[in-house]
Each structure stands twice: as structure tokens, then as C-alpha cells.
Amino acid sequence: MLSTGITTAVSVTPNPDAQWLTRAAAQTGIPARALRAYVAAAAMANDSAPMCGIGWNTVAAVGSVESAHGSYGGGSLNAAGQSSRPIVGPSLDGNGFAAIADTDAGVLDGDARWDHAVGPMQFIPTTWQLAGRDGNGDGRADPFNIDDAALSAAAYLCANGRDLSTAQGWTDAIYSYNQSDPYIRQVRTQATAYAAKTGTAE
């Protein structure tokens, strides 16, 4: 399933094989390990919420904007989907960002004073407590694992009965993730580009 937020969703191989992943990774510049997680996350989210219609390209676009697919700060994803270094966003201390006092005693972000968004999909600790999912079946939800983070993001975007195959539903979903018009435009542009590069745009 592919979604752009501009037109209705179009279908793409829901369970791609290794050849598709290799080709699509080369076409988009998305690391194959991350792309596999995004495709799986979209498929699982749509299985849980059939009316959602989220596309892998939307999940991938969020991952691109949030952490450059887990490579923020020079890191990379290993075979298990873990980043080679912790991905921790800026301090949410009110200086250019919202002020969010620490909510997890620094367990996830290492800061007992202020919260930080963490992991490749950049969840703040309180949101992770509510939205965190186990995407790789190891029995725990880890925001620093791309499988868990991608599934959590997809499920979060699909929440509240949203239909991402419509322009308004897609926009509402992305706005719920980050209440910023420039952010929405950036994710839309990236999602549309991924669709075009893989030859699945309308």
C-alpha cells in the first residue's frame, strides 16, 4: 500500500521479496534494513486497522525527516535494526522547542531534567509509553529499534480511525505526529518522491 496524502492510495507489493527491497533501496537511497522495517510496519498497521491505508512511503518519509533512517549523528542500523549509537533529539527545554520537563527519570533519553525525543522515529518518552509496539517479536518495545519504532509510528498515524488514503486523513495523521505545517510539507514531499522513484506514483 502506498500513500501520498495528495491522491488516493495506490497498491504496491505488500510483502516485497528481497529483490524488490534491494531495487527500491537503490532507487530511494533508503537503507535496505530500514526499508524492510517501513514496509513491514505499514503492512502490520493496515492489518490491525484495515481502513487506515497507510503506505510504506509515508512511514519511510517520517523516518527520513526524523532521523535520516537511523543515521542521525553518523550512526547506522545493524542487522537487528538497532542504531549503532543512541539517537536522542535536542533537549525539550523551551529554547526553540516545546518545554517538556522530564517524565521518565532519564531512562530513555539520559536526561532527568528535560525530555528528549528518542530513536529513529523520534518519540518523546510519554508518547512512547502509550504508543510503543513490539515490531520484531522479541517481547519488548524498544524506541531505538527500527522495527519497533516504525510499527509504533505507523500505528500512531493510523489511530482514531484515520484514513490515510484521503488527503485530509493523511494530513491529519502527519499533523498528529508533529503540529507543524513545514513538517507536513516536508514529509509529503519525501513520501511523494519515494513513490515516484519506485515507479508507484499515480
Side-chain angles (χ1 to χ4, degrees):
M1 185 69 70
L2 183 79
S3 61
T4 65
I6 296 173
T7 60
T8 56
V10 296
S11 296
V12 70
T13 307
N15 296 301
D17 57 21
Q19 186 177 19
W20 185 92
L21 282 170
T22 299
R23 185 174 67 251
Q27 291 167 331
T28 60
I30 302 171
R33 184 62 184 82
L35 181 58
R36 191 175 86 194
Y38 299 144
V39 172
M44 287 188 280
N46 285 321
D47 283 345
S48 296
M51 295 301 294
C52 178
I54 192 169
W56 66 264
N57 61 316
T58 291
V59 185
V62 172
S64 173
V65 173
E66 293 292 351
S67 73
H69 311 300
S71 67
Y72 176 78
S76 60
L77 299 173
N78 66 18
Q82 297 291 140
S83 179
S84 59
R85 61 180 64 187
I87 301 171
V88 178
S91 173
L92 299 178
D93 59 4
N95 185 17
F97 301 94
I100 303 178
D102 175 67
T103 60
D104 69 336
V107 171
L108 291 178
D109 55 26
D111 186 345
R113 182 175 181 191
W114 300 103
D115 269 350
H116 301 244
V118 298
M121 303 303 275
Q122 289 290 278
F123 280 93
I124 61 172
T126 51
T127 304
W128 184 257
Q129 290 170 9
L130 297 172
R133 302 281 189 276
D134 175 15
N136 61 6
D138 68 354
R140 61 188 292 262
D142 178 3
F144 296 98
N145 177 275
I146 189 63
D147 297 312
D148 294 359
L151 176 58
S152 301
Y156 186 86
L157 292 168
C158 288
N160 301 315
R162 296 190 189 98
D163 179 359
L164 275 71
S165 69
T166 68
Q168 190 60 55
W170 189 94
T171 300
D172 289 346
I174 302 303
Y175 188 77
S176 75
Y177 208 89
N178 188 324
Q179 298 179 3
S180 161
D181 290 337
Y183 180 87
I184 291 170
R185 288 194 294 270
Q186 192 175 6
V187 172
R188 179 182 286 117
T189 297
Q190 194 64 72
T192 304
Y194 287 151
K197 288 175 180 178
T198 54
T200 46
E202 288 183 321

